[in-house]
Amino acid sequence: MSRFVRASKYRHVFGQPAKKEHGFDNLKVTSSAWDTNVVSASGNYISVNWNSSGGGAFAILPAPSPFSGAPGIPFKLPDIVPLARSHTAPVLDTDWSPHSDSIVASGGEDGNVMIWQVEASAFEDWNTDGWVPRDFGPVLRIAASPRKVGQVLWHPAAQHVLASAVGDHTVKLWDLGAPESPRAVLGGHADTIQSLAFNPTGQLLVTTSRDRKLRLFDPRVGGEAVRVGEGHGGIKGARVVWMGDRDRIATTGFSRMSDRQVCVWETGALKSVKTLTLDQSAGVVMPFWSDNNILFLAGKGDGNIRYYEYESDNLYALDEHKSSDPQRGMCFVPRRVVNTSECEIARAYKLTTSAIEPIAFIVPRKSDSFQSDIFPPASSIEPSLSAGEFFSGKAVSLKFVSLETGTVSTASAAAAPVLVPTRSTTAPAPQPAFAPSLSPVVPPPITRMSSEPTPVSASASASASSLAYAPTPASPADMRLPPSRSASTHVSDDQRAATTATSAALQEDNERLNAELREAREQIRNLELKVEGLRANARRAATLLDN
């Protein structure tokens, strides 16, 4: 056993379940066997697939805080609660818009996609004398397929763009401003689509399927996958999540021997770079990614939540939140709404057979000040571009919000903030991360460098500063009198300030070089993916000509 302990600021993160009265009880959770998370959350509300008669429905409830609950809403829900009713068959999946905490999409076995908007007044006077539940109605209906709609997923950057996985083994992308027909149809799946995920810019979409394949699409290039790779060996439920703005995805699934696995894949060739075997339980594992470089894994039918820190293509186990109550489903809230004063880096809602339990994942800190090292900027609620701009091929500039000040900033996809994990003595230095992008940008000439930009050490910076700010030798006349104590202290302070300024300037240059390198790599990847798409279209054209 190594005597070195891997350095990490998340080593002591723990899951703190809320008090019982801060959750909800007496829920009538759907009995459908379809594999989705069953529950979804925005910054203000949660939705739960409901077991209702006479068609499909789901419940919409205020999102309870793990520290204070949901004000005005009783812990034990009444037997009759307001439901979102309009589907004629069970609701299979819901997803909240990343650009509005009050808009939710749903998909059901009736083949319809519906959009709902929640008014805050819907929860006034709940469960008081004379209170009458009023069901929600959809603001938009889309006949997506003659077969079921298994998953719905909002675009992370473009407003009013929604993806739906339908029963004919395709993914359809919709512009809600013109929902008469899908703007893109992504095919090639030989069996049921089990999950899908966008990268942070929404320019790439990855799917897992029952045919045991991973497929990577550029929705704006064409309907065929630009990458296809072998996934997990088992046919049971496989899930996928994009690992932030890196060119990495994480999947969970089963081996041919029914072992539960988690894998990390490189998106350039869809090759596995890391595989971990978890256990031999039968429940599907639900993966969730946090921009703190933490991958959460929650198994259906388990009571536990594992979490790992990602560093240099390795997954290092941090801890495990254990519970005796098995979960039917789970979801995480957007990171922009976590409670920074409690050092809460992530918040989950655990759904059991009849209850919802909030869980806060906390990094213990003694200081009451804002902890900038564990709270990088989060994705903003403001959209980065419109649906029309996205489908016309406009480049994406992501918007981020500071969790300390609430200010919104814009960054290009290549320069999006990346929280670099702490380097340890047992792991190699992490390489600069970048986000694959497919914007039609011609890369500038790239000068080949002998090596990647190397961060300048503090000692080197100090040495350079000392040389740059060395004091001028004193004249012989001045040497006759020793300098006063106050004067020497003043000079020392000036040197120290100059050294600090020089170190900061060197650090800024280092970050700029890393950003330029990431941008150059991204542009190269753009061209590779475009060439791959053109080749796929050429093969299809050749096939049609041969026939």
Side-chain angles (χ1 to χ4, degrees):
M1 180 182 294
S2 173
R3 62 190 181 91
F4 295 103
V5 177
R6 193 182 69 88
S8 171
K9 51 184 168 283
Y10 301 110
R11 276 180 55 205
H12 303 293
V13 65
F14 65 95
Q16 177 177 297
K19 297 178 181 178
K20 189 174 181 180
E21 58 269 21
H22 291 167
F24 291 133
D25 198 3
N26 196 32
L27 276 72
K28 298 176 177 59
V29 183
T30 181
S31 57
S32 172
W34 182 253
D35 177 31
T36 57
N37 292 353
V38 187
V39 60
S40 181
S42 70
N44 294 338
Y45 304 104
I46 55 177
S47 56
V48 181
N49 296 358
W50 207 253
N51 188 10
S52 63
S53 59
F58 63 97
I60 299 176
L61 301 167
S65 165
F67 308 102
S68 59
I73 307 298
F75 154 67
K76 185 173 182 179
L77 297 178
D79 292 333
I80 301 177
V81 298
L83 298 176
R85 298 180 185 270
S86 210
H87 286 277
T88 58
V91 173
L92 300 180
D93 194 25
T94 59
D95 190 41
W96 290 88
S97 170
H99 307 126
S100 174
D101 286 333
S102 61
I103 295 179
V104 61
S106 64
E109 284 191 8
D110 57 1
N112 289 324
V113 170
M114 298 190 185
I115 310 300
W116 315 72
Q117 186 164 12
V118 184
E119 301 293 341
S121 59
F123 300 98
E124 294 177 356
D125 303 324
W126 246 59
N127 208 29
T128 58
D129 293 338
W131 174 72
V132 177
R134 294 192 303 272
D135 289 340
F136 300 94
V139 296
L140 179 64
R141 292 179 174 87
I142 302 174
S145 171
R147 306 178 68 178
K148 64 187 174 188
V149 176
Q151 291 91 15
V152 289
L153 181 66
W154 290 95
H155 193 283
Q159 190 174 29
H160 303 322
V161 175
L162 181 71
S164 61
V166 298
D168 57 1
H169 313 328
T170 61
V171 176
K172 297 181 179 180
L173 269 68
W174 305 88
D175 176 359
L176 300 187
E180 295 80 14
S181 61
R183 294 295 300 269
V185 179
L186 313 179
H189 305 88
D191 209 331
T192 304
I193 298 169
Q194 296 173 324
S195 69
L196 64 161
F198 282 108
N199 71 334
T201 63
Q203 295 167 307
L204 295 173
L205 184 142
V206 63
T207 64
T208 62
S209 173
R210 192 177 170 84
D211 63 7
R212 294 176 289 190
K213 300 283 187 182
L214 279 173
R215 290 176 174 84
L216 185 66
F217 295 90
D218 176 7
R220 299 186 294 186
V221 169
E224 291 191 6
V226 295
R227 295 280 192 278
V228 180
E230 294 292 333
H232 294 270
I235 63 172
K236 291 185 66 176
R239 298 291 192 90
V240 63
V241 64
W242 210 284
M243 302 179 74
D245 56 2
R246 296 170 174 80
D247 63 334
R248 296 290 187 270
I249 57 175
T251 63
T252 57
F254 293 80
S255 69
R256 292 184 181 274
M257 302 300 293
S258 297
D259 296 324
R260 293 202 297 189
Q261 297 177 323
V262 57
C263 294
V264 177
W265 306 77
E266 187 268 325
T267 58
L270 282 186
K271 292 183 178 179
S272 174
V273 296
K274 182 67 176 180
T275 300
L276 291 179
T277 298
L278 303 176
D279 52 38
Q280 290 186 327
S281 298
V284 173
V285 178
M286 300 171 285
F288 304 93
W289 174 258
S290 167
D291 288 337
N292 304 87
N293 295 338
I294 297 179
L295 180 66
F296 294 89
L297 302 177
K300 286 191 173 184
D302 301 354
N304 304 341
I305 305 172
R306 300 177 174 92
Y307 35 103
Y308 299 81
E309 185 174 10
Y310 172 80
E311 180 182 348
S312 303
D313 286 339
N314 281 302
L315 293 174
Y316 297 97
L318 293 174
D319 205 345
E320 187 173 358
H321 173 72
K322 298 183 178 180
S323 170
S324 58
D325 296 326
Q327 53 232 6
R328 285 282 313 276
M330 183 166 292
C331 67
F332 278 68
V333 301
R335 203 165 52 82
R336 55 183 164 79
V337 300
V338 297
N339 191 335
T340 58
S341 62
E342 297 286 347
C343 291
E344 179 192 29
I345 61 169
R347 181 184 304 172
Y349 289 110
K350 173 181 173 179
L351 180 67
T352 63
T353 55
S354 62
I356 289 179
E357 178 187 44
I359 302 173
F361 289 92
I362 295 173
V363 177
R365 293 285 175 93
K366 293 182 179 180
S367 174
D368 293 332
S369 61
F370 179 78
Q371 306 294 309
S372 59
D373 60 324
I374 60 174
F375 291 112
S379 297
S380 171
I381 195 172
E382 297 180 11
S384 299
L385 70 171
S386 67
E389 291 171 334
F390 170 74
F391 287 111
S392 65
K394 182 178 179 179
V396 180
S397 296
L398 299 175
K399 292 187 178 181
F400 298 91
V401 60
S402 168
L403 299 185
E404 180 179 16
T405 63
T407 55
V408 176
S409 58
T410 302
S412 66
V418 178
L419 187 64
V420 179
T422 306
R423 183 177 179 180
S424 68
T425 57
T426 60
Q431 299 298 320
F434 67 95
S437 173
L438 298 179
S439 54
V441 180
V442 178
I446 300 172
T447 304
R448 180 175 294 278
M449 294 181 287
S450 58
S451 62
E452 297 184 2
T454 305
V456 181
S457 65
S459 60
S461 302
S463 175
S465 317
S466 318
L467 294 174
Y469 292 91
T472 305
S475 65
D478 293 334
M479 293 177 65
R480 294 190 191 99
L481 297 175
S484 66
R485 181 182 183 120
S486 60
S488 62
T489 303
H490 178 69
V491 171
S492 176
D493 290 342
D494 288 346
Q495 289 180 349
R496 197 155 40 244
T499 299
T500 302
T502 305
S503 299
L506 289 173
Q507 182 65 25
E508 289 179 2
D509 288 343
N510 185 42
E511 292 176 356
R512 178 180 55 79
L513 289 173
N514 276 305
E516 290 176 355
L517 179 61
R518 286 196 298 268
E519 186 173 2
R521 284 178 167 175
E522 178 199 3
Q523 291 170 346
I524 292 172
R525 178 59 53 83
N526 290 347
L527 293 180
E528 289 177 348
L529 290 174
K530 285 180 180 299
V531 169
E532 201 66 39
L534 291 173
R535 285 176 178 171
N537 290 337
R539 287 194 298 268
R540 183 171 58 182
T543 302
L544 293 174
L545 290 173
D546 292 340
N547 294 335

